[in-house]
Amino acid sequence: MDTYLQVFERKKSSTKFKEGLIHEIIKMNTADQKIRIGSEVVTAVNEIALRFVDEILWRTINQAHNEGVKDVNLDHIEKIIPQLLLDFA
C-alpha cells in the first residue's frame, strides 16, 4: 500500500470547494451576518477543508486495508471518526 505522501504527492488535485459554499460555512459560524470575507480567507479555508477531506479519505482507505477488504464503506468512516476528531481538536 502506498504511503500517505506517495498518494498525495503523486498528483496534486485541482479540486476546490465552491466559493459560495465557503462563504456560507463562514457566515453560519459568525454572529455578524454582514461580515465581509476576503479572498485570502476563502482560499485558506478551502485549503484546510481539502486537507481535512484528504485525511478522512486516507484514514478510511487505510482502515479498510487493515481489515483486509477492498471495498470501503460507511463502517470504515465511522471507525476513524473518533480518533480524527481528537487529532484535529
Side-chain angles (χ1 to χ4, degrees):
M1 180 172 197
D2 290 334
T3 66
Y4 179 81
L5 289 176
Q6 289 171 333
V7 170
F8 293 105
E9 290 299 322
R10 188 177 307 140
K11 181 181 177 188
K12 296 283 184 180
S13 176
S14 62
T15 303
K16 294 185 190 249
F17 293 104
K18 291 183 178 180
E19 191 173 316
L21 175 64
I22 301 295
H23 277 259
E24 290 302 315
I25 290 171
I26 293 170
K27 283 185 177 183
M28 283 176 27
N29 294 291
T30 59
D32 183 9
Q33 294 298 313
K34 295 179 182 179
I35 193 165
R36 292 173 43 108
I37 302 165
S39 63
E40 297 89 9
V41 173
V42 173
T43 301
V45 171
N46 184 60
E47 190 64 29
I48 292 167
L50 286 173
R51 295 299 146 236
F52 192 68
V53 170
D54 285 347
E55 187 67 22
I56 291 169
L57 292 172
W58 185 81
R59 290 184 187 204
T60 303
I61 292 167
N62 195 39
Q63 179 67 34
H65 177 74
N66 290 342
E67 293 179 8
V69 297
K70 293 187 186 253
D71 295 330
V72 176
N73 59 42
L74 187 58
D75 292 335
H76 298 115
I77 294 174
E78 290 173 350
K79 290 177 183 175
I80 63 104
I81 285 177
Q83 187 62 46
L84 181 80
L85 294 176
L86 287 173
D87 291 345
F88 281 87

